[in-house]
Amino acid sequence: MEIIKATILDLSALRKLELECFGKDAWPLFDLIAVLTFAEVIRIKAIEDGQMVGFIAGDPHPRDGWGWISTLAVDPRYQRRGIGRALLHACESKLGVPKSRLTVRISNQGAISMYEKYGYKTKDIWHAYYNDGEDAMLMEKNL
Ligand SMILES: CC(C)(COP(=O)(O)OP(=O)(O)OC[C@H]1O[C@@H](n2cnc3c(N)ncnc32)[C@H](O)[C@@H]1OP(=O)(O)O)[C@@H](O)C(=O)NCCC(=O)NCCS
């Protein structure tokens, strides 16, 4: 497995990955273009078998002292092989801020287990944060 910077050339692979991992929550095309091009964004992909099997993006807010993990996805066929962990650690190490934050659906027990395992703590519940009314957990880690 290779962990390297993603670029706009990854747009169609990222779109496919997002649809496979998030279905109705997949980001629209504009957001995918933004995450692959905005200057300040950290964007990292995992490559295996010659294809993109995972992606993470981070958004540093140095003046606030924290950064957001804005998306993390691993191809279902490649999950539970340490790719999510490797992407998370790579992105955290590049954020350059003291704290990392993210939101996750309260029903997404798999992702919550992973975040807790790697040091994230629940800071708040944001009610009806998602379009379908589901609550989000705001999680934070001291880097
Ligand atoms: C969440 C996600 C990124 C995890 O990626 P992954 O590559 O499977 O994770 P890893 O293999 O690195 O898992 C590391 C550890 O996290 C925990 N973990 C990961 N997925 C888990 C699951 N579904 N259930 C319980 N624990 C889980 C485990 O402790 C795991 O270690 P182990 O496999 O040795 O038990 C992946 O399941 C995914 O893309 N899900 C769909 C999209 C999503 O929900 N993204 C997060 C949105 S906030």
Side-chain angles (χ1 to χ4, degrees):
M1 194 236 309
E2 232 190 323
I3 299 284
I4 53 175
K5 194 174 171 194
T7 73
I8 190 66
L9 298 178
D10 296 305
L11 181 60
S12 67
L14 179 57
R15 197 163 194 204
K16 190 161 158 277
L17 181 70
E18 276 264 322
L19 283 168
E20 279 172 353
C21 287
F22 294 113
K24 63 182 167 42
D25 284 337
W27 281 359
L29 189 58
F30 176 81
D31 290 17
L32 298 180
I33 293 170
V35 84
L36 290 171
T37 55
F38 282 13
E40 68 281 5
V41 173
I42 291 151
R43 51 191 85 93
I44 303 170
K45 62 182 174 179
I47 302 286
E48 201 155 306
D49 302 329
Q51 56 175 334
M52 185 164 92
V53 296
F55 178 81
I56 192 166
D59 203 0
H61 290 252
R63 274 183 295 181
D64 299 314
W66 38 258
W68 285 102
I69 303 293
S70 54
T71 188
L72 170 60
V74 174
D75 182 322
R77 289 161 295 188
Y78 290 81
Q79 289 177 5
R80 301 305 289 265
R81 299 190 197 180
I83 295 173
R85 179 194 61 213
L87 286 166
L88 188 61
H89 287 167
C91 192
E92 288 169 352
S93 71
K94 288 189 184 310
L95 279 175
V97 288
K99 289 171 196 277
S100 171
R101 287 183 174 182
L102 56 86
T103 52
V104 57
R105 283 180 178 268
I106 55 164
S107 64
N108 193 347
Q109 196 50 57
I112 292 167
S113 296
M114 186 186 71
Y115 295 134
E116 287 177 341
K117 182 173 183 177
Y118 300 120
Y120 285 81
K121 303 246 185 299
T122 304
K123 287 281 291 178
D124 202 359
I125 303 291
W126 288 353
H127 294 291
Y129 177 74
Y130 295 99
N131 285 338
D132 59 2
E134 187 171 341
D135 295 347
M137 280 170 68
L138 170 67
M139 303 188 82
E140 185 179 271
K141 174 181 178 178
N142 292 321
L143 298 175

